[in-house]
């Protein structure tokens, strides 16, 4: 198109239509790898250069500072005037707004922005009857309430947060926060909306200033951000949002996919432009991803078409267990590196951080360099180091470093003063810290510290007895499970998960699994700790950028790799058995994101069994695999099993039988419509029996 400015000539027709659109509002549905960042930045330049829009009147909002900087730099490269456009993250815009309108928001102009820990501390001051952990849970719910735009007096608050005390605690927290003149992160979105609705003069001033509003990654916006957008958009404003409803995967953080689905209803005269040309992947990869996400009802719909021709079909590897899965990923990475010389071409994706352990161990053994993105290495994670510290003290009661780490974790009231008394007693004797702690009670000043130290000694001594009792063919995993449970670490880190949305408890379960190959004995424990230390030392070697990437699916947004290995595609793991409705649809979107990270090769892995809490459980392939037409992939490792039967009977389910006692479901096979599923149960006695639950009343599901 010779009549077009040079910076527009390389755009495809859909991209060009989005850039040159004017009049009503615009929703750009930008599929994975469709060049959306280029479209946004080019649109800003087009508005400024060709339509005479003042750059100061353009507000562009995204979710990361990196994306905001990239937008500004790209637009300014086309026209330097674009550097004067107002490009911010949602939260930085909110902070800027509140600094300039502090009085209207009831704030000190020099307000402090409280982080999560500050919020917990403030809440603890208003509710001293709660423990700090309990305050953390409440603070997390308050943050989520603000994501939904709900104030303490909101009528809908009780429906979303049914705890009868939550409204009062939230109100007390808000009152105290306002008294301090400070804000938390939720306020950076909530308060500007409130001010804009309440103060006509301020609203008019902002409506006059920002005539063009663009929002990137709109599928990740929450309700409060949606309300802020509506408050900022004055009459005659041009609103353009860019996003992909198929990549909305942060519901657990408050993201609301309905924001993008309902945008045309909320903003009148909206035109939808679909960017469906994919510049990243081969068509075979796009077809696999599209087949799964197309099952979702909550989507606007689009079909990605690859610009690149050719490409191999996706591969489905049916593997025996997590060790074979790690070996398969290693072979794929080695084959790619042998052809290109680049380890970094390959990425291994998994659902939870805990799954990285098998890959770390196997890659270390084979000398494959790797890097973990968005997380620390397994054995360096806080919760794992806590459990290992307990095990180290069991193995060697003279281990001062690890004794210091766990004697008061979780909190038992053993402070620094009490600890120093124990250490001095140990130094004066044979260095055995456990013996010193046993005799130090009378020297401690408070009943709380004496009780806390006594409970710690009893715990460790009880665990040492288990370790030292001859137990032929017993696995060390049982002891590790007792350590994380009896110490309180499991409960402590499960509470932290609830507060922070992390997966620490799952990592502790994975540590239990890691001990399954070692015998229950002092020698077995020493060998286990030695193996871990060797893994650590290998991991501590200087990381090269030229390495295989190990990464969770959630952390892959915005990334791409020539070769992608998607692991853990078992029913019960991905998706979970309790994923239904909106949760299931989000998990389909997560699969779509994972698959579309691949440029050239896509590998899907499903294991027949995995260790769960030190016990092996059987799995069937993920329902997502069965949602892909068989002609779209090649199968390695045998024939694809039938789908998992519908209903409550799943591998890993705890059960009770009137005659055989407690047990766990290890396998479920589809039966006939008349019989229902055939369920295999391993009881605590070690006995494995099979049942048709439809015909027995003695078997009860406990989950």
């Amino acid at each position: 198109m010779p009549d077009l400015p040079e910076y527009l000539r390389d755009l495809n027709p859909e991209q060009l239509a989005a850039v040159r659109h004017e009049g009503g509002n615009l929703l750009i549905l930008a599929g994975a790898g469709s060049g959306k960042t280029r479209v946004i930045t080019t649109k800003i330049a087009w508005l400024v250069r060709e339509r005479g829009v003042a750059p100061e009147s353009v507000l562009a909002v995204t979710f990361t500072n990196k994306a905001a900087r990239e937008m500004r730099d790209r637009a300014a490269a086309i026209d330097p005037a674009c550097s004067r456009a107002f490009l911010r993250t949602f939260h930085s815009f909110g902070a800027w707004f509140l600094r300039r309108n502090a009085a209207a928001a009831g704030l000190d102009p020099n307000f402090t922005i409280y982080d999560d820990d500050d919020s917990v501390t403030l809440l603890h001051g208003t509710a001293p009857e709660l423990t700090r952990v309990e305050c953390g849970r409440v603070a997390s719910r308050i943050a989520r309430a603000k994501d939904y735009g709900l104030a303490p007096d909101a009528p809908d608050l009780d429906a979303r947060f049914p705890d009868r005390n939550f409204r009062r605690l939230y109100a007390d927290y808000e009152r105290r926060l306002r008294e301090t003149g400070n804000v938390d992160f939720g306020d950076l979105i909530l308060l500007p909306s409130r001010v804009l609705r309440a103060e006509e003069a301020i609203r008019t001033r902002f409506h006059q200033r920002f005539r063009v509003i663009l929002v990137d990654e709109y599928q990740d916006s929450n309700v409060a951000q949606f309300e802020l957008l509506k408050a900022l958009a004055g009459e005659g404003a041009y609103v353009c949002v860019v996003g992909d409803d198929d990549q909305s995967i942060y519901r657990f953080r408050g993201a609301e996919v309905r924001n993008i689905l309902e945008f045309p209803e909320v903003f009148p005269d909206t035109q939808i432009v679909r960017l469906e040309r994919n510049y990243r992947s081969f068509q075979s990869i796009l077809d696999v991803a599209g087949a799964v996400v197309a099952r979702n009802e909550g989507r606007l719909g689009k079909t990605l078409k690859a610009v690149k021709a050719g490409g191999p079909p996706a591969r489905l590897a049916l593997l025996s267990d997590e060790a074979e899965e790690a070996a398969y990923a290693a072979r794929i990475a080695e084959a790619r590196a042998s052809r290109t010389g680049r380890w970094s071409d390959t990425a291994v994706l998994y659902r939870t951080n805990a799954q990285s352990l098998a890959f770390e161990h196997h890659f270390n053994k084979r000398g494959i360099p790797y890097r973990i993105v968005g997380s620390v290495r397994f054995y360096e994670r806080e919760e794992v180091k806590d459990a290992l510290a307990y095990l180290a003290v069991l193995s060697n009661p003279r281990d001062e470093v690890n004794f210091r780490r766990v004697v008061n974790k979780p909190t038992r009231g053993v402070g620094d003063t009490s600890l120093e008394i124990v250490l001095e007693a140990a130094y004066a004797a044979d260095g055995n810290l456990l013996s010193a702690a046993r005799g130090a009670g009378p020297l401690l000043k408070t009943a709380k510290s004496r009780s806390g130290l006594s409970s710690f000694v009893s715990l460790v001594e009880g665990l040492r007895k288990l370790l030292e009792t001859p137990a032929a063919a017993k696995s060390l995993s049982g002891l590790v499970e007792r350590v994380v449970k009896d110490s309180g670490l499991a409960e402590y880190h499960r509470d932290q998960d609830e507060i922070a949305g992390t997966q620490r408890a799952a990592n502790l379960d994975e540590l239990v699994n890691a001990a399954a190959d070692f015998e229950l004995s002092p020698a077995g424990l020493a060998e286990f700790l030695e193996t871990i230390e060797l893994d650590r030392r290998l991991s501590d070697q200087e990381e090269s950028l030229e390495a295989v990437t190990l990464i969770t699916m959630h952390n892959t947004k915005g990334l791409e790799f020539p070769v992608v290995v998607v692991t853990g595609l078992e029913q019960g793991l991905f998706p979970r058995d309790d994923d239904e409705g909106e949760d299931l649809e989000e998990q389909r979107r997560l699969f779509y994101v994972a698959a579309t990270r691949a440029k050239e090769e896509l590998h899907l892995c499903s294991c027949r069994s995995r260790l769960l809490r030190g016990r092996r459980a059987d799995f069937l392939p993920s329902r997502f695999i069965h949602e892909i037409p068989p002609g779209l992939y090649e199968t390695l490792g045998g024939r694809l099993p039938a789908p998992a039967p519908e209903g409550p009977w799943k591998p890993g389910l705890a059960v009770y039988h009137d005659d055989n006692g407690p047990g766990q479901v290890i396998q479920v096979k589809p039966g006939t419509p008349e019989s229902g599923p055939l369920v295999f149960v391993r009881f605590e006695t070690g006995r494995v029996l099979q049942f048709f639950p439809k015909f027995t009343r003695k078997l009860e599901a406990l989950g």
Side-chain angles (χ1 to χ4, degrees):
M1 301 181 190
D3 57 326
L4 290 175
E6 186 175 350
Y7 69 95
L8 296 180
R9 290 177 188 173
D10 291 336
L11 299 177
N12 68 44
E14 296 79 23
Q15 292 173 331
L16 186 62
V19 167
R20 299 175 73 186
H21 173 270
E22 55 186 328
N25 301 303
L26 179 64
L27 167 58
I28 303 174
L29 279 182
S34 62
K36 71 174 179 65
T37 303
R38 184 183 184 189
V39 169
I40 299 170
T41 54
T42 306
K43 188 171 186 70
I44 294 171
W46 180 80
L47 288 166
V48 172
R49 287 188 62 164
E50 314 301 334
R51 308 310 298 168
V53 173
E56 296 84 0
S57 71
V58 177
L59 170 63
V61 184
T62 187
F63 281 82
T64 67
N65 289 316
K66 181 182 177 183
R69 287 193 299 271
E70 185 180 0
M71 264 195 237
R72 181 180 291 106
D73 293 345
R74 286 199 188 185
I78 300 173
D79 190 328
C82 294
S83 63
R84 302 201 304 275
F86 205 78
L87 276 68
R88 297 272 181 142
T89 66
F90 265 110
H91 287 95
S92 69
F93 172 83
W96 173 85
F97 179 99
L98 292 175
R99 297 280 183 207
R100 284 151 183 79
N101 301 279
L107 301 174
D108 184 313
N110 299 313
F111 61 79
T112 297
I113 302 171
Y114 283 179
D115 62 17
D116 294 344
D117 193 58
D118 295 329
S119 295
V120 172
T121 300
L122 185 69
L123 184 62
H124 197 234
T126 67
E129 71 277 10
L130 301 181
T131 66
R132 191 169 177 88
V133 169
E134 290 169 333
C135 286
R137 292 180 189 147
V138 176
S140 178
R141 294 183 189 120
I142 289 173
R144 181 55 55 86
K146 291 188 176 186
D147 288 342
Y148 286 109
L150 298 174
D153 58 354
D156 297 340
L157 190 68
D158 293 334
R160 192 170 287 277
F161 303 95
D163 183 347
R164 59 189 177 88
N165 293 317
F166 178 67
R167 187 184 292 274
R168 173 184 61 80
L169 293 168
Y170 185 8
D172 290 345
Y173 168 84
E174 280 293 282
R175 183 177 64 255
R176 184 66 186 127
L177 189 58
R178 298 287 81 83
E179 288 171 355
T180 67
N182 297 317
V183 299
D184 58 22
F185 271 93
D187 287 333
L188 297 179
I189 308 299
L190 205 58
L191 292 183
S193 295
R194 192 175 296 168
V195 170
L196 287 166
R197 288 194 299 269
E199 302 289 338
E200 185 178 357
I202 296 174
R203 183 170 64 250
T204 300
R205 187 167 79 247
F206 275 84
H207 286 177
Q208 290 172 344
R209 173 167 181 181
F210 296 121
R211 305 302 300 158
V212 174
I213 303 174
L214 300 101
V215 184
D216 190 20
E217 301 288 359
Y218 190 63
Q219 77 281 346
D220 294 334
S221 63
N222 59 39
V223 173
Q225 289 161 341
F226 189 30
E227 292 300 319
L228 177 58
L229 174 62
K230 289 193 292 183
L232 282 168
E235 187 176 351
Y238 178 74
V239 180
C240 170
V241 299
V242 187
D244 184 0
D245 51 333
D246 290 335
Q247 295 190 69
S248 180
I249 59 173
Y250 297 124
R251 188 162 170 257
F252 65 96
R253 295 180 188 169
E256 183 55 75
V257 70
R258 281 179 293 187
N259 289 355
I260 193 168
L261 299 178
E262 297 174 3
F263 182 86
E265 300 173 19
V266 177
F267 289 86
D269 302 319
T270 291
Q271 182 179 342
I272 300 176
V273 174
R274 289 173 168 83
L275 305 183
E276 297 177 307
R277 300 193 195 195
N278 177 282
Y279 294 88
R280 176 187 299 157
S281 310
F282 289 128
Q283 191 63 49
S284 56
I285 295 168
L286 301 180
D287 288 344
V288 167
V292 173
V293 81
R295 298 289 186 114
N296 281 354
E297 295 179 3
R299 65 190 296 259
L300 294 169
K302 62 185 172 303
T303 303
L304 294 183
K305 298 297 181 184
V307 172
K308 297 192 303 184
R315 286 188 174 179
L316 169 64
L318 301 174
L319 306 163
S320 61
D321 55 23
E322 61 272 33
E324 190 177 2
E325 183 180 56
Y328 178 83
R331 291 196 301 273
I332 297 301
E334 288 169 335
R336 179 73 186 191
S338 70
R339 295 195 304 272
T340 67
R342 295 186 299 273
W343 291 107
S344 57
D345 281 356
T346 302
V348 179
L349 279 56
Y350 36 78
R351 178 69 180 80
T352 66
N353 281 315
Q355 291 168 255
S356 75
L357 178 57
F359 301 104
E360 291 182 59
H361 180 68
H362 197 81
F363 283 21
N364 279 330
K365 194 162 61 174
R366 292 178 68 151
I368 297 174
Y370 66 91
R371 63 190 183 109
I372 297 180
V373 176
S375 180
V376 296
R377 295 178 182 273
F378 183 85
Y379 291 123
E380 298 305 319
R381 293 167 190 164
E382 178 192 355
E383 62 280 8
V384 175
K385 291 182 75 172
D386 289 342
L388 290 174
Y390 271 100
L391 293 171
V393 172
L394 290 182
S395 182
N396 177 17
R398 292 174 173 80
D399 187 332
E400 181 182 333
V401 170
N402 284 302
F403 185 91
R404 282 179 176 273
R405 183 180 183 99
V406 297
V407 68
N408 197 42
K409 190 169 189 180
T411 304
R412 299 184 175 88
V414 184
D416 291 341
T417 302
S418 300
L419 177 58
E420 291 304 318
I421 291 172
V422 174
L423 293 174
E424 287 179 13
Y427 298 151
D430 60 356
N432 188 310
L433 291 157
L434 201 59
S435 298
R438 191 185 307 113
L443 303 175
L444 305 187
K445 294 180 179 180
T446 67
K448 186 177 182 181
S449 61
R450 289 193 293 272
S451 173
L453 187 62
S454 175
S455 68
F456 175 76
V457 171
S458 297
L459 168 69
V460 176
E461 288 182 338
L463 292 169
R464 281 177 62 83
K465 286 180 182 176
L466 289 176
L467 179 66
E468 294 168 351
T469 302
K474 283 276 188 172
S475 167
L476 188 66
S477 61
L479 177 70
V480 179
E481 188 173 24
R482 285 286 300 274
V483 166
V484 300
K485 181 182 178 183
D486 295 357
S487 66
L489 287 177
E491 183 179 3
Y492 173 79
H493 287 296
R494 200 172 291 113
D495 288 338
Q496 297 302 306
D497 287 345
E498 186 173 343
I499 295 166
T502 52
Q503 299 164 342
R504 294 181 173 188
N507 291 335
L508 290 174
D509 288 341
E510 197 62 32
L511 183 66
V512 173
N513 294 340
D517 294 332
F518 298 83
E519 68 174 20
L520 180 62
S521 68
L525 175 58
E527 185 185 359
F528 178 56
L529 293 172
E530 180 182 311
T531 302
I532 289 172
E533 188 58 33
L534 291 173
D535 268 358
R536 272 180 174 164
R537 289 185 181 275
L538 286 167
S539 299
D540 287 341
Q541 297 173 4
E542 185 177 351
E543 286 190 20
S544 168
L545 291 176
E546 196 46 57
V548 177
T549 297
L550 303 182
I551 189 170
T552 67
M553 299 174 195
H554 280 102
N555 281 328
T556 59
K557 278 285 290 286
L559 303 178
E560 58 184 39
F561 306 90
V563 180
V564 167
V565 184
V566 181
T567 65
L569 281 165
E570 297 99 41
Q571 190 61 33
L573 182 62
F574 183 43
R576 297 183 298 267
D577 287 324
D578 58 353
D579 285 332
E580 300 291 344
E582 290 185 0
D583 291 332
L584 179 60
E585 295 211 348
E586 178 153 286
Q587 294 305 300
R588 284 200 184 98
R589 295 193 292 268
L590 184 59
F591 176 88
Y592 171 88
V593 168
T596 55
R597 301 310 94 190
K599 298 167 67 175
E600 300 173 22
E601 296 179 33
L602 175 63
H603 299 262
L604 310 174
C605 297
S606 180
C607 296
R608 288 184 284 275
S609 76
R610 282 187 186 273
L611 280 173
L612 291 177
R613 300 177 182 86
R615 299 174 180 85
R616 188 154 295 280
D618 294 330
F619 288 90
L620 289 168
S622 167
R623 64 184 294 168
F624 298 157
I625 294 174
H626 292 281
E627 292 175 357
I628 306 168
L632 297 183
Y633 58 84
E634 295 178 348
T635 304
L636 307 174
R639 187 175 177 183
L640 180 66
E646 299 293 327
W649 302 99
K650 310 289 184 184
L653 178 71
V655 299
Y656 187 86
H657 190 270
D658 289 351
D659 299 331
N660 296 282
Q664 187 178 53
V665 176
I666 59 171
Q667 188 179 6
V668 180
K669 291 184 177 180
T672 66
E674 293 76 24
S675 71
L678 178 63
V679 177
F680 294 76
V681 178
R682 178 181 287 117
F683 294 98
E684 290 189 351
T685 59
R687 194 178 184 193
V688 176
L689 298 174
Q690 51 188 294
F691 304 90
F692 286 107
K694 189 174 181 178
F695 299 117
T696 179
R697 295 184 179 181
K698 292 187 175 183
L699 188 67
E700 179 186 359
L702 301 179

